[in-house]
Amino acid sequence: MVGGRSELARNERLYRFVFPERPGALMKFLSSMHPDWNISLFHYRNQGADYGRILVGIQVPKGDKGAFREFLEGLDYPCIDETNSAVYRLFLR
């Protein structure tokens, strides 16, 4: 895992994604992101399936919530918001 607990990770959103295992999937994710957003945590896991599991922390300014929602919808990758999970609060905040 790249990243982790940091006092500098302000306005961090934590999401679990299911990425398709095909060329360009990560590039689609990265190129769709707003240039002012920062990836503060990234963990990729694959067990030989047709998809990889990604845990990513993204710093999104409060005023960009609508743009972030559009980003998620445009990706069309299944995802779950883990920002308010107890595990996240305990280990990474």
Side-chain angles (χ1 to χ4, degrees):
M1 179 165 63
V2 177
R5 188 185 305 250
S6 172
E7 295 300 319
L8 301 175
R10 305 257 191 261
N11 301 314
E12 185 178 54
R13 308 290 307 167
L14 187 73
Y15 274 80
R16 277 190 296 144
F17 286 92
V18 176
F19 271 42
E21 280 296 326
R22 66 173 179 256
L26 179 58
M27 184 56 74
K28 177 182 176 183
F29 178 84
L30 295 173
S31 63
S32 298
M33 277 185 56
H34 191 282
D36 291 338
W37 301 343
N38 179 49
I39 295 176
S40 53
L41 178 145
F42 191 88
H43 177 71
Y44 168 82
R45 184 171 157 194
N46 183 317
Q47 297 176 327
D50 291 342
Y51 57 88
R53 297 174 193 269
I54 310 294
L55 180 67
V56 63
I58 304 174
Q59 291 176 262
V60 180
K62 292 180 182 183
D64 286 357
K65 285 184 179 181
F68 186 67
R69 191 172 24 256
E70 289 176 17
F71 160 71
L72 295 175
E73 291 169 0
L75 278 178
D76 200 31
Y77 295 168
C79 65
I80 297 173
D81 185 353
E82 295 288 357
T83 305
N84 295 316
S85 81
V87 173
Y88 171 60
R89 287 193 310 269
L90 181 63
F91 290 107
L92 297 174
R93 270 195 173 162

